[in-house]
Amino acid sequence: MKIIDKEDLDSFVADMIEKGEKEVVGVQEKGHKYAFQELKRAEDLRLDYDVTMLPPKKYFMPQREDLLEYEKDEDLSLEGVNEVVPRIIIGIHPYDLIAIEQMDRVFSDTYEDEHYLKKRKESVLIGVNMQEVSEWSFAASMGTATTDYGYDLMLTDLGDRYAIEIGSSKGSDLLERYCVDLKEAKSEDIESVEREKEKIKESFEKEFEFSPESLPWLMEQGYEKKEFWEEHAEDCYSCGSCNLVCPTCYCFDVQDISDLSLGGGKRTRKWDGCLLESFAVVASGENFREERSERYRHRYMRKGKYLYDMFGDIACVGCGRCSSHCVPDIADPTVVFNELMEEVR
Amino acid sequence: MSAEESIYLPETATIVDTKEMTEREKLFEVELDSGEELGHEPGQFVELSIPGIGEAPISVSSAPTKEGHTFELCVRAVGNVTNALHRKEKGDKIGIRGPYGTSFPVEELEGRNLLFIAGGLGIAPLRSLINYVIDKREDFQDVNILYGCRKPCELLYEDEVEDWRTNDELDYRETVDECPDDVCWEGNVGVITTLIPGVDIDVENTYSVVCGPPIMYKFVLQELEEKELPAEQIYLSMERRMKCGVGKCGHCQINGEEGEYYACQDGPVFNYADVQGFEEAI
């Protein structure tokens, strides 16, 4: 563990921006909320934020990205496209780091998706332990309020200085290249970091009434509780907001976009959401998840069981973005899962 | 980005022949521009690209035993991609990814009686296995083919079906849901399940292979259960929205209380015992 004074962290960040070897992204204020955005000035960085509107997955799986280009003259030519911007992303909370780890598994399983993996490989992740907790978050219940992995560097605010934990060679390289005034952490610094972590775990208002390890079991028991799902989904707009803000949602749709000449164009993928009505429609017109309650249930099943079955991860990291963005306020996982537990017990 | 890096990059292919089959279905014979064989197993599918329009999963309709290195796709004009494909002609270029997904377990089927049950366009994936079986006829025992469609004019593969009708080594039966008064039809009239009671099934040694529209499975499976054919001896091919074909995009997931599958990875060919009772399967 290293220690850096707060003003030295500012110059570390300023140096990365100035040298411009990689694009520097940091959490900044946007309206009354926070967002990951390109950082132009070190002083715009806000490491005391509660939660960002969108998770940092947008840098590895952009809202819209080109997969290939085609040209149709005499012959058809198809060429893969992968626009990779190497980035240093500063200020990622532990739950988002864990979500990125989960996405890494999804995109490297069986068929390796280089569109995601290359962007990921070219990025450096600087995490920060939470100082503020969103009123919607329940990360402590999910075991994601702190993390020992998933970062290249991890910052903890210790008042007038930051502790820096080094998670990878990418992280130590970054310190060597840009950072001048590093001190070795003393044993009291290490203790302070542990105290900060423990303190943050106690700061959550929302919580699960059971261990998340029970989720796969709970979802299996709860699948057939039709009335429960119908009741909870009754006010669902099928808008897909919960999907779009979720750090572990990765489903996508693919579209071709033709040039005006019609002679060529691009194939792009964009975020899709399983709450949207058309998600499971096939060519014949059949919709395999026609009812709102089926789509609503599907999303919770994905989070609590399906992705666990496939990759071994509970695919909810407790950030609370889904519930905070849900207009009819029916997407709070703590409410849904806790009530489902009541129902099946 | 080099060509081999993107799992979403199709290879180019040429339509070497087309054949109008009905008002809605056309058969396309396709050759990969690399000159390679597709290398598929019966029951697998490809992602077919019409650049500028999009991509759609299409099951391969020809058997791997077919002579030459081309393969065939039987396509109904029903969406953007398939309508655009129908406007393509001999010599036109398309994109192909795959083959993807599971196949019919030919080794398990060897030495068994086979009961094929196809409804409408469901004959397209089944034909890849039917023709395989015909080409290796001595490896299999009794072969029954039940084929149903809505009207006589919707019957696919007319020439081949004529061969099946007269082939002594097959028991072929057909039905139509309805037959207009002015059309001559010697086969059965009624839904596909009406053909099943007439078939003598040796439940010890018979495997059934089923493909058809979603509504068909429920009733066909009920009939097979009544015949006491074990679920383990029934294979189904199921259509879902296999958008990416490689288990990423999430669209083709099939759920049930017992678990979940991706149709593009765990299917499209499923053993009935594995999906029995799945709410979103049958």
Side-chain angles (χ1 to χ4, degrees), chain A residues 232-237 296 300 323 326-332 336:
Chain A
H232 281 73
E234 208 178 343
D235 293 329
C236 177
Y237 295 167
Y296 180 89
Y300 290 99
S323 29
C326 180
V327 176
D329 191 9
I330 52 160
D332 186 339
V336 176

Side-chain angles (χ1 to χ4, degrees), chain A residues 280-295:
Chain A
V281 174
V282 296
S284 62
E286 183 97 8
N287 187 349
F288 288 93
R289 237 169 272 123
E290 200 167 10
E291 300 295 325
R292 258 183 312 187
S293 60
E294 292 167 349
R295 296 192 295 276

Side-chain angles (χ1 to χ4, degrees), chain B residues 71-92:
Chain B
F71 58 96
E72 291 169 338
L73 306 171
C74 175
V75 181
R76 176 178 291 172
V78 69
N80 295 338
V81 174
T82 49
N83 272 296
L85 180 68
H86 271 239
R87 293 192 290 271
K88 296 278 179 198
E89 293 167 0
K90 190 173 166 176
D92 284 347

Side-chain angles (χ1 to χ4, degrees), chain A residues 113 115 267 272 302 306 309, chain B residues 6 8 49 251 253 260:
Chain A
D113 185 317
H115 300 273
R267 177 161 294 166
D272 203 350
R302 289 273 294 186
Y306 298 151
D309 289 346
Chain B
S6 178
Y8 307 109
S49 274
H251 281 99
Q253 192 176 330
E260 62 287 332

Side-chain angles (χ1 to χ4, degrees), chain B residues 151-218:
Chain B
K151 287 181 247 170
C153 65
E154 293 184 3
L155 197 79
L156 297 164
Y157 303 108
E158 232 168 309
D159 300 347
E160 276 172 48
V161 162
E162 187 49 39
D163 289 343
W164 299 349
R165 282 186 192 116
T166 54
N167 188 331
D168 292 342
E169 296 181 324
L170 302 174
D171 181 350
Y172 171 80
R173 298 168 198 216
E174 58 197 344
T175 187
V176 292
D177 294 353
E178 53 179 303
C179 184
D181 294 338
D182 56 348
V183 174
C184 171
W185 175 253
E186 288 175 1
N188 186 63
V189 177
V191 293
I192 184 104
T193 44
T194 59
L195 293 178
I196 298 174
V199 183
D200 192 18
I201 300 179
D202 167 14
V203 294
E204 296 285 311
N205 197 38
T206 300
Y207 274 70
S208 186
V209 184
V210 185
C211 189
I215 183 78
M216 188 193 91
Y217 289 99
K218 192 174 151 195

Side-chain angles (χ1 to χ4, degrees), chain A residues 70 75 106 109 111 113 115 250-253 256 267 272 278-279 281 288-289 297-298 302 306 309, chain B residues 1 5-8 49 51-52 54 93 240-241 243 248-251 253 255 257 260 262 279-280:
Chain A
Y70 64 88
D75 261 340
V106 169
D109 180 63
Y111 292 90
D113 185 317
H115 300 273
Y250 59 82
C251 290
F252 59 84
D253 196 12
D256 284 12
R267 177 161 294 166
D272 203 350
S278 63
F279 189 80
V281 174
F288 288 93
R289 237 169 272 123
R297 176 182 65 182
H298 178 74
R302 289 273 294 186
Y306 298 151
D309 289 346
Chain B
M1 176 171 209
E5 274 182 334
S6 178
I7 51 175
Y8 307 109
S49 274
K93 298 284 184 188
R240 290 298 182 272
R241 187 176 165 193
K243 189 92 195 178
K248 305 290 184 216
C249 77
H251 281 99
Q253 192 176 330
N255 303 315
E257 196 182 357
E260 62 287 332
Y262 274 162
E279 187 182 306
E280 293 181 3

